């Protein structure tokens, strides 16, 4: 499993970045969260932190 971002729902607020213990999430140039799948721990912290429901573990 890995965190997946729904780009249509992501507002670029950064909550997921702040909560990710692996620092596996960054913002793209267009302010959408991007997950480094090699670094993702599948912990779900980002999914819980997202106020827009834009992140799911798949």
């Amino acid at each position: 499993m890995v965190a997946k971002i729904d780009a249509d729902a992501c507002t670029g607020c950064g909550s997921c970045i702040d909560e990710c213990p692996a620092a596996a999430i960054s913002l793209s140039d267009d302010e959408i969260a991007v997950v480094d799948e090699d670094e993702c721990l599948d912990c779900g912290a980002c999914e819980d932190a997202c106020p827009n429901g834009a992140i799911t573990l798949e």
Side-chain angles (χ1 to χ4, degrees):
M1 293 179 62
V2 68
K4 298 289 183 181
I5 309 294
D6 177 351
D8 293 330
C10 179
T11 62
C13 71
S15 294
C16 56
I17 295 169
D18 294 339
E19 294 300 318
C20 180
I25 305 174
S26 60
L27 287 181
S28 66
D29 290 340
D30 55 351
E31 301 284 320
I32 301 297
V34 177
V35 176
D36 180 340
E37 294 183 6
D38 292 331
E39 297 296 322
C40 181
L41 301 175
D42 310 326
C43 68
C46 58
E47 183 178 30
D48 293 339
C50 182
N52 302 306
I55 304 175
T56 55
L57 292 179
E58 296 178 8

